[in-house]
Amino acid sequence: MSELFSSTRVAPGANDAGERLLSELVEHLRHNRTALRAQWARRITEAELFTAMTPEEIFTEVTSVYDNYVTVLETGSVGALGNYARDLSERIVVRGVQTDEILGIVLLLRDVLARSLFEKYQHDFELLERVLDVYEPAANRVASMVAISFVQERERIIRQQQEAIRELSTPVLQVREQLLILPIIGMLDSQRARQLTEQLLRAIRANRAKVVVIDITGVPTIDSTVANHLAQTVDASGLMGASVILTGMSSEIALTLVTLGLDLSKMNAVGDLQGGIEEAERLLGYEVSRACEHSRAGESPARPAAAHALPNGKVGRPG
């Protein structure tokens, strides 16, 4: 007996009979392929399944599913079934097919094929019972494998999307040489905090950053676990040679940090992002002067000349 039925307990001598019935069953499904496939496609449409796909796409997938379904019934190969189920899931998940839809279409196919067997063997109920004993375990196994593969593929895509969203929501920006800014918006959980630290440390190394400004103006609150992780991020950045300036801290977050009794001596906090950037430039040796209050000779007072911020305490004006 094939892999698909290997777990089914059978009486002595039943194997050969089961194989013969299975071959007869497969031959019946192949001989009536066109009619059964059309009936199945019609029932899918009536049940309003696969609504994200065009009629042509539905027909293509219906044909593929039917042929592979019959092949799996014939071979009984669990490995082949798994490969087919994964391939099917990869194709249809990206089309917007939902979990209830894939379950619905597989169960509809099982029912369509079962009804065809009732019609074929309706005059011999004893034979019909033996045929169903062969068909039902295999059909249920196919349905289960396809459903599990679909759910796993869908979860994989969801994880990828969540990863992409997290990366977009925590961009590490280089605003000038050796200066990075990490603006954080939204809730911080432990997983996002770990990802944030990994991204930041990679950016520090790649950009040879000396100062990092972490702006948490858009973070409403943090829990104790995330607060500890934030302190560890500051320490880790220091080990890589970068000082961290924390800006935009709310009163709730400040109270959380103080209540936890964390060592705040290494945490340089500044009120807002602008102040944090100015402090970062000071640490880097830049001196920033405001626009001249008095215009140069022959220049309109409404357009004062701005000074350049230069390293090492030097100030330059545009030429």
Side-chain angles (χ1 to χ4, degrees):
M1 196 68 90
S2 59
E3 287 181 73
L4 198 59
F5 310 100
S6 59
S7 60
T8 303
R9 303 184 67 177
V10 295
N15 284 347
D16 292 340
E19 291 290 354
R20 286 195 299 271
L21 285 176
L22 181 60
S23 298
E24 184 177 333
L25 167 62
V26 170
E27 179 61 28
H28 166 73
L29 298 180
R30 285 198 170 131
H31 181 72
N32 295 277
R33 174 177 180 264
T34 301
L36 293 175
R37 182 184 55 183
Q39 183 182 350
W40 181 35
R42 184 178 68 254
R43 293 193 62 181
I44 289 175
T45 302
E46 291 172 352
E48 297 183 348
L49 300 173
F50 276 11
T51 55
M53 301 172 65
T54 66
E56 293 77 14
E57 290 172 335
I58 292 177
F59 182 80
T60 299
E61 291 301 337
V62 161
T63 301
S64 175
V65 172
Y66 187 95
D67 291 342
N68 280 277
Y69 192 99
V70 175
T71 299
V72 168
L73 288 177
E74 180 180 30
T75 63
S77 172
V78 175
L81 174 59
N83 293 334
Y84 163 65
R86 284 190 294 272
D87 180 67
L88 172 65
S89 300
E90 289 175 1
R91 290 200 311 273
I92 63 179
V93 167
V94 294
R95 299 298 186 95
V97 176
Q98 302 299 312
T99 306
D100 59 332
E101 291 184 289
I102 190 62
L103 288 173
I105 67 108
V106 174
L107 293 178
L108 278 179
L109 177 58
R110 185 193 65 177
D111 293 344
V112 166
L113 301 187
R115 289 189 181 190
S116 74
L117 296 178
F118 275 100
E119 292 177 2
K120 178 177 176 61
Y121 298 103
Q122 59 182 323
H123 301 298
D124 190 341
F125 286 102
E126 183 179 348
L127 180 57
L128 172 62
E129 185 176 353
R130 294 202 304 271
V131 170
L132 292 178
D133 285 342
V134 172
Y135 170 71
E136 288 176 348
N140 291 338
R141 186 68 177 273
V142 171
S144 298
M145 288 288 289
V146 171
I148 291 172
S149 294
F150 181 87
V151 171
Q152 291 175 341
E153 177 65 16
R154 188 173 179 85
E155 290 177 346
R156 185 186 68 82
I157 291 177
I158 290 174
R159 287 194 297 270
Q160 286 181 339
Q161 292 172 339
Q162 290 175 337
E163 183 74 14
I165 291 172
R166 279 193 293 267
E167 289 179 357
L168 290 173
S169 64
T170 53
V172 182
L173 310 174
Q174 183 177 18
V175 294
R176 67 165 71 240
E177 187 179 1
Q178 297 184 325
L179 172 57
L180 300 176
I181 294 181
L182 176 59
I184 305 174
I185 299 174
M187 293 298 298
L188 270 178
D189 55 19
S190 298
Q191 182 178 0
R192 189 183 177 199
R194 284 194 299 271
Q195 183 191 37
L196 179 151
T197 300
E198 293 171 0
Q199 285 182 260
L200 179 59
L201 296 180
R202 286 197 298 267
I204 290 174
R205 181 175 182 178
N207 295 279
R208 304 179 66 183
K210 296 298 183 183
V211 183
V212 177
V213 178
I214 300 179
D215 182 61
I216 58 174
T217 305
V219 179
T221 185
I222 59 176
D223 59 21
S224 58
T225 302
V226 176
N228 276 291
H229 198 89
L230 188 61
Q232 293 171 5
T233 300
V234 173
D235 291 340
S237 299
L239 290 175
M240 297 192 68
S243 302
V244 175
I245 300 172
L246 200 61
T247 66
M249 188 181 302
S250 66
S251 57
E252 291 81 1
I253 294 177
L255 185 60
T256 300
L257 294 174
V258 172
T259 304
L260 290 174
L262 299 175
D263 181 11
L264 305 179
S265 60
K266 300 178 183 178
M267 196 169 291
N268 186 1
V270 178
D272 56 24
L273 180 58
Q274 180 179 344
I277 293 176
E278 292 175 355
E279 174 65 11
E281 290 179 331
R282 185 189 67 79
L283 292 176
L284 290 172
Y286 289 87
E287 180 181 332
V288 181
S289 63
R290 297 183 180 278
C292 299
E293 296 181 358
H294 302 287
S295 62
R296 291 183 292 182
E299 188 174 13
S300 170
R303 298 175 59 189
H308 289 304
L310 300 175
N312 303 321
K314 298 180 181 179
V315 179
R317 297 183 180 277

